[in-house]
Amino acid sequence: MWSHFVPSHDEWFDQFTREWGEQVGVNVTVDHIDVAGVPARIAAELSAGQGHDLMQYIAPLAQFEPSVLDLADVTEEANNRYGEQLEICRKSSFNPTTGKFYAFGPGWVPDPGNFRRSMWEPVGLTDGPRTWDELLEGGSEIMATQGVQLGIGMSQEIDSNMAGRALMWSFGASIQDENENVVLNSPETVAAVEYMVRLFQGAMTDEVFSWNAASNNQGMVAGKLSYILNSISAYRTSQETNPDIANDTLFVPALEGPETALAAQHVMYNWLVPQHATNPDAAKEFLLHYTANLESAAYHSKLYDFPAWDGLVPNLKAWLEDDPFGSQPADKLAFLADSTDWATNIGHPGPANTAEGEVFGLPIIPNMFARAARGEVTPDQAVADATAEVDAIFAKWRARGLIGGGG
């Protein structure tokens, strides 16, 4: 599993798993690795047919469906105990074409905008940008007058993939439609790419083309960025390392575009049990035990982790309104209580299917934006080239009967 961006979570989790193992007579080993290395590690173990009994990543892993067990039994049992799973989590772990739960999705993380009030106040946006137009106008003025860029990546990493999709959806574009047909090559996608070109030219530098998943966090904590699309992890870090930055950091929900205001979930927990697992029953039992303790996961992640079953963390709203971890003001995070209103799944408006999983695991969308922003190709050509790559991936998975569409 990944090394959590809020380290206190892993301290809790490792002890939690040890105690469970002792109680049920199972030896448990937890291997935390850097988030960027998780998909490759999973792919290698699935290919070799040996390795961990349980694997976890922070984005949908539908592309591994042929090599993992169906976790419908775990999901159904959780639903029986706790009510209906959030749709955003169900769509990120279930393949409607095959009827298989390729993953178990017990939790997720919102992806708000983080901004520095002291930088946005002088440009007339004390409460931060609320639209993509305001981000462009205010971010460009901050860059021109204060010399501080904003941070939306166009790189081969997970946050860049999230941000690019948020921009597309808000402009009315998407990779697929609700029936899993590719619709990437559209005027709406071209308009989103044209916008990103202007945003880069006015408010960013070449750094965003080579970022990793931690770069926007690090830039925000260091005071070098005016705005990022991120969870609250950078904020939690700055509370400990740079309280002045933390107190100056505020949040906004998904930015309003010409069509809507939507953001990708920042994290979507996918837990897999591979076909090679030697202890699948124990792995499934652990997932149910973990689910029963999602309130502890939320608390020890400092309100980073949100549950897929609302009733499992009854104190979440109260904690967000009066942050037990020292936010100033105490209700700084209260707006996150409504985050399901503006968050959606990878694959929107369809499911996170195998094709979307593969596309997300590649830098196709970040590259589409980056090539246009660098002036290598026109926005129209960038979209056409990306569509050709996406079409091939969808055709491959459709030929295997693992996605719908094609009609």
Side-chain angles (χ1 to χ4, degrees):
M1 64 186 297
W2 76 317
S3 294
H4 203 289
F5 285 149
V6 180
S8 57
H9 171 277
D10 289 352
E11 296 173 14
W12 162 78
F13 184 85
D14 291 354
Q15 181 178 348
F16 172 76
T17 55
R18 282 194 300 271
E19 291 174 352
W20 176 79
E22 291 168 0
Q23 290 169 4
V24 302
V26 174
N27 293 322
V28 183
T29 299
V30 181
D31 292 322
H32 298 281
I33 64 175
D34 180 81
V35 63
V38 175
R41 177 72 172 270
I42 290 176
E45 292 192 5
L46 293 178
S47 178
Q50 60 183 1
H52 293 78
D53 295 306
L54 195 54
M55 305 164 168
Q56 177 244 54
Y57 187 51
I58 63 171
L61 293 172
Q63 67 269 33
F64 296 131
E65 178 179 336
S67 302
V68 301
L69 299 183
D70 187 351
L71 296 182
D73 50 354
V74 180
T75 306
E76 289 169 6
E77 181 59 31
N79 284 336
N80 289 337
R81 295 181 187 183
Y82 310 120
E84 283 302 307
Q85 184 184 33
L86 286 180
E87 185 68 8
I88 190 175
C89 296
R90 185 178 186 276
K91 276 188 150 184
S92 302
S93 56
F94 176 68
N95 185 339
T97 300
T98 61
K100 180 175 180 176
F101 280 90
Y102 55 83
F104 180 62
W108 72 291
V109 177
D111 199 31
N114 303 215
F115 73 95
R116 293 283 306 284
R117 170 172 276 179
S118 64
M119 296 178 182
W120 287 85
E121 191 169 26
V123 300
L125 293 166
T126 302
D127 295 325
R130 296 305 177 108
T131 69
W132 286 100
D133 282 345
E134 288 181 348
L135 183 73
L136 173 60
E137 294 163 10
S140 298
E141 188 174 344
I142 290 170
M143 184 69 165
T145 60
Q146 302 175 45
V148 179
Q149 70 167 320
L150 56 81
I152 294 181
M154 287 178 272
S155 181
Q156 299 183 22
E157 51 88 28
I158 189 169
D159 288 358
S160 295
N161 263 300
M162 300 290 190
R165 283 161 174 78
L167 175 59
M168 287 169 54
W169 294 329
S170 297
F171 272 67
S174 61
I175 293 172
Q176 65 176 2
D177 63 18
E178 60 185 6
N179 297 314
E180 303 176 87
N181 294 302
V182 177
V183 293
L184 181 60
N185 198 349
S186 69
E188 292 80 9
T189 307
V190 173
V193 173
E194 290 171 342
Y195 170 90
M196 186 66 93
V197 172
R198 296 194 300 273
L199 188 68
F200 170 72
Q201 292 172 343
M204 294 193 284
T205 71
D206 287 353
E207 292 175 41
V208 298
F209 298 130
S210 57
W211 271 5
N212 60 40
S215 296
N216 52 4
N217 292 52
Q218 293 166 350
M220 196 70 173
V221 173
K224 296 180 179 179
L225 298 172
S226 65
Y227 174 98
I228 61 173
L229 264 177
N230 206 284
S231 64
I232 63 171
S233 55
Y235 168 63
R236 289 305 193 199
T237 298
S238 64
Q239 281 184 294
E240 297 180 6
T241 62
N242 198 334
D244 289 342
I245 298 289
N247 291 335
D248 192 37
T249 299
L250 295 174
F251 302 91
V252 291
L255 298 175
E256 185 78 35
E259 184 65 28
T260 188
L262 278 179
Q265 81 289 325
H266 185 74
V267 162
M268 179 56 67
Y269 289 115
N270 261 212
W271 293 80
L272 309 179
V273 179
Q275 291 180 354
H276 68 243
T278 56
N279 298 288
D281 292 339
K284 292 179 178 181
E285 190 58 42
F286 173 77
L287 289 177
L288 290 171
H289 177 67
Y290 167 75
T291 302
N293 289 274
L294 283 175
E295 185 161 57
S296 290
Y299 186 84
H300 289 283
S301 69
K302 298 183 178 179
L303 314 186
Y304 182 97
D305 288 7
F306 279 39
W309 291 270
D310 287 336
L312 284 173
V313 189
N315 290 317
L316 182 59
K317 189 172 187 292
W319 286 339
L320 293 171
E321 292 174 350
D322 187 9
D323 182 20
F325 303 103
S327 285
Q328 297 295 329
D331 65 350
K332 182 183 286 192
L333 303 177
F335 79 103
L336 289 174
D338 299 321
S339 52
T340 52
D341 293 343
W342 45 265
T344 193
N345 59 285
I346 299 303
H348 172 85
N353 57 32
T354 50
E356 284 278 0
E358 182 173 346
V359 173
F360 188 83
L362 298 169
I364 295 173
I365 298 303
N367 282 350
M368 178 182 75
F369 287 110
R371 294 177 69 222
R374 286 194 294 254
E376 296 172 1
V377 294
T378 65
D380 292 88
Q381 190 62 52
V383 173
D385 291 345
T387 301
E389 293 184 73
V390 170
D391 277 337
I393 291 170
F394 271 71
K396 176 184 70 175
W397 289 109
R398 190 171 289 121
R400 296 180 64 178
L402 290 171
I403 64 170

